[in-house]
Amino acid sequence: MHVQEWLETVPAVSIYLLVGVVIGLESLGIPLPGEIILVSSALLASQHGDIDPVVLGACASAGAIIGDSIGYAIGRKGGRPLLGWLGGKFPKHFGAPQIALAERSFEKWGMWAVFFGRFVALLRIFAGPLAGVLRMPYWKFLIANVLGGIVWAGGTTAVIYSVGVVAEAWLKRFSWLGLLAAVLIGVISMLVLKNRAKKAAAHADGPVLSEAEVVRAAD
């Protein structure tokens, strides 16, 4: 059974809770399909009036922010031994190459890595714990965490919900051609969002922090 087919059998309140919990656990550092659950739920909301997309987006944002905050606290307390333990439990996600890549991203982008990391699966899992391990000042982490969580969760919900509504209307008139066009619009929209996130992060590379400043800020 596909994710969306399974979600159709679940009450609306349970879907809100499911989205919040799964995204929260993923943000905490546990590899889970948070984006898949969110996209499937937003698409389902466009087809069923009893699921409010605003509430759905709010639950997803809350889960992302709270999960990242808990991950930050755990990472700050656990330190690097925590990364080693996670590497043993989830070698595909927390192996040495993945950790090295994430650390380089944090060294280059600082708090922008937390913000734009929401749009990248690997950094979405790493952001909270790694920011804590590297002792990023909490106020910087909090700002990037809140803004990133709202933009990613709210934006994804809005885009997918809108695409779903368009697909539903076109499907009645143009059958599978309307659905295909709507899906293409959705895919292009998501690619544009991710491309803009990468470009913005690249522009932030220079003025954000030098490596020496990152070390001083972390201390």
Side-chain angles (χ1 to χ4, degrees):
M1 180 182 292
H2 294 294
V3 173
Q4 187 173 352
E5 293 177 350
W6 179 77
L7 287 173
E8 290 178 353
T9 66
V10 179
V13 175
S14 299
I15 290 178
Y16 300 146
L17 292 175
L18 176 68
V19 168
V21 170
V22 171
I23 291 178
L25 291 175
E26 182 189 38
S27 301
L28 192 152
I30 300 175
L32 290 175
E35 191 168 43
I36 294 176
I37 293 293
L38 178 58
V39 168
S40 298
S41 300
L43 188 58
L44 186 63
S46 69
Q47 302 169 356
H48 297 271
D50 55 340
I51 302 176
D52 190 333
V54 176
V55 176
L56 181 65
C59 290
S61 299
I65 295 169
I66 294 172
D68 244 14
S69 297
I70 296 175
Y72 175 90
I74 293 175
R76 193 174 180 89
K77 185 170 183 176
R80 290 194 174 275
L82 174 65
L83 296 180
W85 180 82
L86 289 172
K89 294 291 184 180
F90 308 104
K92 292 183 178 180
H93 297 86
F94 289 90
Q98 289 83 359
I99 292 177
L101 175 61
E103 285 187 332
R104 286 196 299 271
S105 299
F106 270 76
E107 289 174 357
K108 289 182 179 180
W109 304 338
M111 62 187 293
W112 291 106
V114 178
F115 179 87
F116 291 112
R118 283 289 173 192
F119 300 89
V120 182
L122 175 64
L123 289 180
R124 189 161 56 244
I125 298 173
F126 269 109
L130 190 56
V133 170
L134 297 178
R135 295 189 175 278
M136 175 183 289
Y138 183 69
W139 68 269
K140 290 185 177 181
F141 170 79
L142 182 62
I143 292 174
N145 179 29
V146 172
L147 293 179
I150 292 175
V151 171
W152 173 73
T156 299
T157 302
V159 169
I160 299 302
Y161 177 80
S162 300
V163 169
V165 170
V166 172
E168 188 75 12
W170 284 11
L171 188 60
K172 293 178 181 178
R173 298 176 58 187
F174 303 108
S175 186
W176 63 273
L177 289 176
L179 179 59
L180 177 60
V183 170
L184 288 175
I185 292 173
V187 171
I188 292 173
S189 299
M190 292 302 296
L191 290 176
V192 168
L193 284 174
K194 290 189 176 183
N195 186 49
R196 287 183 177 177
K198 290 180 180 179
K199 286 184 178 179
H203 286 307
D205 187 4
V208 176
L209 286 174
S210 66
E211 291 189 8
E213 289 173 326
V214 170
V215 174
R216 288 199 298 272
D219 293 336

